[in-house]
Amino acid sequence: RLWLDDPSVERCGSLRRVMSSGEALPADLRDRFFARLPGVELHNLYGPTEAAVDVTWHPCSPEDRSAAVPIGRPVANTRIHVLDARGEPSPPGVPGELHIAGAQVGRGYWRRPALTAERFVPDPFASEPGARMYRTGDRARWTAAGTVEYLGRLDFQVKIRGLRVELGEIEAALAADPSVREAVVAARGEGEDARLVAWLVPADGGGVSVDGLRERLAAKLPPYMVPSAFVAMDALPLTPSGKVDRRALPDPGARTADGYVAPWSPLEIELADLWREVLGVERVGAGDDFFALGGHSLLAVKLASRIRQRFGRELALAELFRSRTLRTLAAALERESAGATASPLVAIHAAGARPPIFCVHPAGGTVFRYSDLARELGPDQPFYGLQAQGVNDDAEPLATVDEMATRYLDALRAAFPAGPYVLGGWSAGGVIAFEMARRLRDAGEDVSLVVLLDTHAPKDDWRDRAPDEVDLYLRYTHDLAGVGPERLAELESALRAVADDERLAALADWIARSDLPVAETTLAQIGRSVRVFATTMRAVNEHRLREYDGDVLLLQAAEGIPGLEPPPGGVASAWRPHVRGRLEVRTVPGTHGTFIGEPYVADVGRALEAALVEISTG
């Protein structure tokens, strides 16, 4: 599957035959193989180590559209038996345990006579005396066509990425740990997405340090047998007969929100999108570990391929094992590309067939606060941010809305030369997006919608009013992390108690000591971000709106901006004179700084989705 994901696979012009073995071959992968390599043979092989690996083979056909790919017929000098619980042959179509006999069968397990006797049993169908056959523990059945179909395992022995794992061995290692009273382990997912999950009952009602437990297991077990997820429970679910009810074990989920820190830099945001795609999780934080989220060596190869496709950079797998967290991996990639001119266009979620949404940064210059909204709109909705100049480097911030609109439109049209375009922005970003949309419409381009996310229209009396420095810092902190009025009052007291030239350091110190979900990279960038914030606020305040003849959706936060009185008639009243198309206004819960994040973002997503559906249906 990883190989077929590579865009250049069709260039394998001398390839004649491919053999698939080690894991069950899914029908969709068979079909995809022939779609990409129509002139190449594909053979499905089956066999365990105990029988010299491959003992059956099946030549796949491009015309075959069956839901399952058989493992086929025995190879030379091999006999296959599908037997019921009494050791009698199962009729065609009836499942049984697959047994292997013939020249390939080994003699047994080294120095494990009990297991040898259990698995290497006398062959009653052989003519030669003393012949043995191997009980595979695999469920199978004969088809009417005379081929064998694999149906999965009979016991709790599983395969994880081609390696056989005895779950009982892992459970025993967990139960021996002093922090664990009970444990059960199971495999979740299939194929390359399979991962081991452990459900634990802590000893003496205490807690379990997952990092410490994982480290202790790694000293006893090979890496592929260490679970990638741990779920602590008060008690394991039981069946009426008192056995662990494995079907009732709760899904481990992608991750809880505790300790979550949003990706901040453009590269962190784009890498998070790739991690979500590769790992199949909903949310990835800046401090998350690729392997703790279920990653493994095959998925690392897949991630490296995605990075090459998205960024045009080669990632050594060794670097991924060294830089396991999203933040450290982004830093490693940034070091490799130091000096390159960064585009303001950030792919928050690149996949999907629908027309993309482009959202301009708020005054702080970053686009990380759009991540929750992009996720809320679903995997089929591409979502891009436009990040400010100077927020990640020492470049001078753009000083006017006109300069910003020009720069962002150049980047947007270089990547997406034609519409339809959906433009939007939160706070100050809405003003910039409004100007971009006006220019696109004047150039004859198709702009489906402009989305103003609690954006106040610039007013004449703002232009000559210089913001108080402390008020500027308070607005920045509210926008950065949705800090509420009480905490802002605490921050205001701290800032007004120090000298002017000490306030920026005091702000960074206050944020670092708070329990806000802010990445360390953000703390290091606060000086630049505040500079961009002040410049953008000044640019927006000085901007004169021109009429726009398209449709606009205004989503206004019910509680507004803490400490700022809304204009008479509400936020919408100041926009109406400038919108010649339809202006739809919807109120969503939350404040200006919180409505775009959890838990309120679901309401924003529903309102925006309804508007997009209305556009698509005419």
Side-chain angles (χ1 to χ4, degrees):
R1 192 179 297 276
L2 285 169
W3 174 56
L4 289 179
D5 281 345
D6 195 296
S8 59
V9 71
E10 285 93 348
R11 287 163 45 197
C12 298
S14 61
L15 187 63
R16 294 293 175 266
R17 182 178 295 114
V18 170
M19 287 165 282
S20 172
S21 184
E23 295 284 354
L25 177 64
D28 72 298
L29 194 56
R30 170 200 63 198
D31 299 341
R32 190 158 166 235
F33 175 92
F34 287 121
R36 297 206 67 183
L37 296 162
V40 181
E41 296 177 15
L42 175 63
H43 297 260
N44 190 29
L45 299 149
Y46 162 86
T49 303
E50 290 86 345
V53 186
D54 292 315
V55 295
T56 70
W57 70 287
H58 174 72
C60 299
S61 167
E63 288 74 36
D64 186 6
R65 289 295 180 265
S66 59
V69 182
I71 58 174
R73 304 172 188 273
V75 299
N77 302 315
T78 301
R79 299 184 302 279
I80 296 296
H81 304 289
V82 178
L83 307 179
D84 62 19
R86 298 170 300 173
E88 297 293 331
S90 295
V94 178
E97 184 176 4
L98 192 148
H99 293 63
I100 304 169
Q104 279 91 334
V105 176
R107 297 182 179 182
Y109 296 107
W110 177 250
R111 294 181 176 174
R112 301 192 67 181
L115 187 59
T116 296
E118 177 189 342
R119 290 293 179 182
F120 292 84
V121 297
D123 182 1
F125 310 102
S127 57
E128 63 272 19
R132 293 273 192 245
M133 61 182 179
Y134 172 64
R135 292 181 56 198
T136 66
D138 289 332
R139 292 177 73 243
R141 65 186 173 197
W142 288 102
T143 67
T147 61
V148 177
E149 187 176 299
Y150 172 79
L151 301 174
R153 293 293 299 169
L154 285 168
D155 53 22
F156 291 141
Q157 186 187 71
V158 297
K159 270 193 173 182
I160 299 293
R161 298 175 292 283
L163 297 169
R164 193 171 302 163
V165 175
E166 290 285 356
L167 299 180
E169 188 175 346
I170 306 172
E171 291 173 354
L174 284 167
D177 193 273
S179 68
V180 177
R181 190 178 77 205
E182 293 180 90
V184 62
V185 179
R188 288 289 170 93
E190 297 180 358
E192 68 181 50
D193 295 325
R195 60 174 180 156
L196 292 172
V197 179
W199 290 263
L200 313 169
V201 177
D204 302 322
V208 174
S209 168
V210 171
D211 290 340
L213 181 58
R214 183 179 283 116
E215 186 175 333
R216 292 190 293 276
L217 286 177
K220 300 178 180 179
L221 302 171
Y224 65 87
M225 291 178 68
V226 178
S228 62
F230 296 83
V231 180
M233 305 181 70
D234 294 332
L236 297 175
L238 302 177
T239 66
S241 61
K243 296 182 179 180
V244 174
D245 187 354
R246 291 175 178 264
R247 291 177 298 180
L249 292 169
D251 190 276
R255 195 163 159 81
T256 66
D258 297 339
Y260 172 79
V261 174
W264 186 82
S265 73
L267 195 50
E268 286 178 2
I269 291 168
E270 297 203 62
L271 276 177
D273 182 40
L274 296 182
W275 280 34
R276 285 192 297 270
E277 176 191 345
V278 169
L279 294 170
V281 297
E282 287 190 4
R283 188 163 73 163
V284 174
D288 284 346
D289 184 304
F290 180 81
F291 299 95
L293 287 182
H296 48 71
S297 56
L298 285 180
L299 290 182
V301 173
K302 190 172 185 178
L303 177 63
S305 174
R306 294 288 189 272
I307 289 173
R308 182 171 64 249
Q309 293 170 28
R310 176 78 66 88
F311 304 112
R313 304 178 201 171
E314 290 292 339
L315 174 70
L317 289 183
E319 184 59 60
L320 182 54
F321 283 94
R322 282 193 299 268
S323 306
R324 298 166 65 103
T325 68
L326 185 77
R327 181 183 303 140
T328 55
L329 184 61
L333 288 173
E334 283 172 347
R335 286 194 298 271
E336 289 183 10
S337 59
T341 302
S343 167
L345 197 64
V346 180
I348 298 174
H349 178 61
R354 303 170 69 177
I357 297 173
F358 304 92
C359 274
V360 181
H361 63 84
T366 63
V367 295
F368 76 97
R369 293 294 303 278
Y370 291 130
S371 296
D372 287 340
L373 178 57
R375 188 173 62 253
E376 195 67 36
L377 293 173
D380 198 41
Q381 178 59 68
F383 197 108
Y384 291 80
L386 287 152
Q387 183 129 319
Q389 179 172 297
V391 77
N392 283 320
D393 52 37
D394 293 325
E396 281 297 316
L398 299 175
T400 68
V401 170
D402 286 337
E403 289 177 335
M404 296 176 201
T406 298
R407 168 107 165 97
Y408 303 157
L409 282 175
D410 286 346
L412 187 156
R413 298 183 80 172
F416 298 89
Y421 298 107
V422 176
L423 298 178
W426 167 41
S427 193
V431 175
I432 305 165
F434 190 83
E435 173 61 22
M436 292 169 62
R438 187 194 66 78
R439 294 188 185 189
L440 286 170
R441 294 279 288 210
D442 286 353
E445 296 288 355
D446 180 7
V447 180
S448 304
L449 185 68
V450 175
V451 184
L452 304 176
L453 298 166
D454 205 48
T455 298
H456 288 238
K459 299 187 299 182
D460 290 338
D461 61 349
W462 287 5
R463 295 187 177 96
D464 299 324
R465 188 174 64 190
D468 176 82
E469 184 182 58
V470 172
D471 289 339
L472 193 69
Y473 289 170
L474 297 178
R475 273 290 308 276
Y476 168 78
T477 308
H478 178 64
D479 289 1
L480 175 69
V483 177
E486 292 183 4
R487 302 287 300 279
L488 289 178
E490 173 193 324
L491 174 60
E492 181 175 11
S493 299
L495 294 178
R496 294 200 186 279
V498 299
D500 292 355
D501 59 354
E502 297 176 358
R503 281 179 179 154
L504 191 59
L507 172 65
D509 180 64
W510 186 89
I511 293 174
R513 287 186 292 103
S514 302
D515 57 351
L516 302 177
V518 174
E520 294 172 11
T521 45
T522 314
L523 293 173
Q525 297 281 352
I526 278 181
R528 288 173 176 162
S529 196
V530 167
R531 180 183 61 163
V532 171
F533 188 94
T535 304
T536 306
M537 289 290 290
R538 188 180 309 112
V540 167
N541 288 352
E542 294 174 353
H543 181 67
R544 292 187 179 275
L545 293 172
R546 283 157 278 194
E547 286 188 346
Y548 173 67
D549 65 355
D551 293 339
V552 174
L553 171 64
L554 171 62
L555 300 177
Q556 57 185 13
E559 300 174 49
I561 301 174
L564 183 66
E565 287 293 323
V571 178
S573 62
W575 282 104
R576 294 191 192 280
H578 306 286
V579 179
R580 289 169 52 193
R582 185 177 65 159
L583 175 62
E584 181 180 357
V585 182
R586 296 194 184 187
T587 301
V588 291
T591 68
H592 178 78
T594 61
F595 84 104
I596 201 167
E598 299 288 356
Y600 307 116
V601 71
D603 294 272
V604 178
R606 282 191 290 269
L608 181 50
E609 179 66 30
L612 295 174
V613 169
E614 186 175 340
I615 291 170
S616 65
T617 57

